[in-house]
Amino acid sequence: MGINLDLEPFMLNGVGHERPLVMAGPCSAETEEQVLKTASQLNDMGIKIFRAGIWKPRTRPNAFEGVGKKGLPWLKRVKEEFGMLTATEVANVNHVFESLKYGVDILWIGARTTANPFAVQEIADALNGVDIPVLIKNPVNPDVELWIGAFERLNNAGIKKLAAIHRGFSSYGKTIYRNVPQWQIPIELKRRIPELMMITDPSHICGSRDLLLDISQKAMDLNFDGLIVETHINPDKALSDASQQITPATLKDLLDHLIMRKSNVENTLLLTTLEELRHEIDTYDDKLLGILECRMAISRKIGEYKKNNNITILQSSRWDEMLRKRIEDAEKKNLSEEFITKLFRAIHQESINHQTKVMNA
Ligand code: PEP
Ligand code: MN
């Protein structure tokens, strides 16, 4: 189903569609000095759009929730002193009014907000008749319809300068990513609304600095338009998202390492499918390792119990029963008896090794 949105192509500070369009700045505005120093260094590198969170949606209370509106004059100074465009997150009517009052140039809707149609509608109503670019992050859950719904709500309120930010999706259990990219979702959004600009947020996908280049390169190989990267003058001291922030100098290095390939649609799609599947495999393998780690921790607890109660490590009947049950369950999952037997023998042996260590400790 094609989506009919009334969109207007727009240029962000003249950067337009020159790829990659780069937005950078700290996760949170913390102090006036931090904001101005970061902006100054980014401006020196030619970055034209400055991002900074003023109100921070934190998963748990008592974390740093942003400086609030006292940070807005700092963004105004960035604009005045460096001529950069400023961007911040809005999650409610109050955020919208305050941001507009201080001349913020670009608004974005955060992932948690996009997941909530009431909140998106409230923001859309508050923006009715205002001509400002709005970037919409994917919802935390991998639901492309919900993402599209947010674009429709904003567009119905007359906002025509819309773009998407892909920041990955929540998942239960440990993975190498803070938010798994699930590239097929932004790809599907682009298929449904081809004229939409797509900006990838490697910072919130990765959660740590070391994966940023990989994800940024991948976004460019998918022919996405831009990157929004959290950048801080002193990342380790950042009040939010410290482990994923990088200095402006590191950002420059990252951008210098990006290979910009020509967009050859057929090849891109082929590459995408294969790489997407490989990424999924990597994610599952990573989960498997996490599960094995947890399983061995339990084995060691059992080892302690056996030690304290003078019970032998191996009870053949339990092992026999366990293997039989696993083979039976695996059959329903299309996994062969041979494979499951080998796999659980190896797991069982590793358990015994862990317990033996506990016994002898
Ligand atoms: C952010 O960009 O700082 C942010 C809070 O992002 P998200 O909504 O993607 O979690
Ligand atoms: Mn952040």
Side-chain angles (χ1 to χ4, degrees), residues 26-28 51-53 55-58 89 108-113 137-138 140 165 167-168 178-179 201 204 228 230 240-241 244:
C27 176
S28 306
R51 66 145 283 159
W55 302 277
K56 299 306 298 178
R58 305 322 290 173
E89 170 174 350
W108 85 76
I109 296 180
R112 295 159 193 76
T113 308
K137 288 201 168 197
N138 64 254
V140 281
I165 299 178
R167 53 77 82 190
R178 178 178 177 193
N179 291 292
D201 173 346
H204 291 90
I228 175 167
E230 286 190 342
S240 57
D241 292 353
Q244 71 197 28

Side-chain angles (χ1 to χ4, degrees), residues 9-24 43 45-50 83-86 106 197 199 225-227 255:
F10 62 103
M11 309 268 281
L12 291 172
N13 209 9
V15 198
H17 279 278
E18 190 187 301
R19 295 173 59 242
L21 179 147
V22 182
M23 304 175 62
N43 182 52
M45 297 164 43
I47 304 291
K48 298 196 166 70
I49 308 167
F50 184 77
M84 297 172 90
L85 293 184
T86 55
I106 301 162
M197 202 190 299
I199 297 168
D225 302 280
L227 300 169
L255 296 175

Side-chain angles (χ1 to χ4, degrees), residues 198-351:
M198 181 67 68
I199 297 168
T200 288
D201 173 346
S203 307
H204 291 90
I205 290 175
C206 298
S208 66
R209 281 156 217 154
D210 45 320
L211 300 165
L212 292 174
L213 178 60
D214 258 19
I215 291 291
S216 304
Q217 183 63 56
K218 167 90 175 171
M220 292 302 102
D221 289 342
L222 290 175
N223 203 21
F224 289 177
D225 302 280
L227 300 169
I228 175 167
V229 185
E230 286 190 342
T231 316
H232 193 288
I233 36 162
N234 193 349
D236 286 328
K237 291 269 151 61
L239 298 182
S240 57
D241 292 353
S243 55
Q244 71 197 28
Q245 301 209 57
I246 53 176
T247 60
T250 309
L251 174 62
K252 183 169 187 324
D253 196 50
L254 184 150
L255 296 175
D256 287 345
H257 276 87
L258 275 187
I259 302 164
M260 298 304 290
R261 299 187 166 95
K262 276 187 293 204
S263 61
N264 171 329
V265 176
E266 272 166 58
N267 282 348
T268 309
L269 275 182
L270 270 179
L271 216 88
T272 303
T273 313
L274 185 60
E275 278 189 18
E276 174 56 37
L277 294 173
R278 284 178 174 157
H279 264 280
E280 275 186 57
I281 292 270
D282 287 348
T283 303
Y284 279 116
D285 282 355
D286 189 60
K287 280 191 184 168
L288 260 178
L289 289 179
I291 289 172
L292 288 171
E293 185 189 5
C294 296
R295 194 188 188 283
M296 291 308 153
I298 306 266
S299 284
R300 287 193 297 274
K301 270 196 195 163
I302 294 179
E304 293 283 353
Y305 181 84
K306 288 175 176 169
K307 182 179 181 177
N308 296 337
N309 293 282
N310 239 347
I311 305 173
T312 57
I313 288 181
L314 185 68
Q315 280 93 44
S316 293
S317 57
R318 155 76 182 153
W319 163 231
D320 204 52
E321 167 62 16
M322 202 181 101
L323 186 61
R324 201 188 48 73
K325 179 81 172 56
R326 299 291 180 270
I327 291 170
E328 196 183 295
D329 291 346
E331 204 188 336
K332 291 172 215 143
K333 299 183 196 289
N334 202 16
L335 299 166
S336 75
E337 175 170 345
E338 188 199 351
F339 166 63
I340 290 302
T341 307
K342 276 191 203 153
L343 178 69
F344 276 94
R345 278 210 178 112
I347 290 175
H348 186 240
Q349 184 56 55
E350 181 71 4
S351 271

Side-chain angles (χ1 to χ4, degrees), residues 29 98 143 183 217 297 318:
E98 292 295 343
D143 184 342
W183 296 98
Q217 183 63 56
R318 155 76 182 153

Side-chain angles (χ1 to χ4, degrees), residues 99-117:
S99 300
L100 295 178
K101 200 160 91 192
Y102 284 89
V104 174
D105 304 281
I106 301 162
L107 304 178
W108 85 76
I109 296 180
R112 295 159 193 76
T113 308
T114 310
N116 177 355

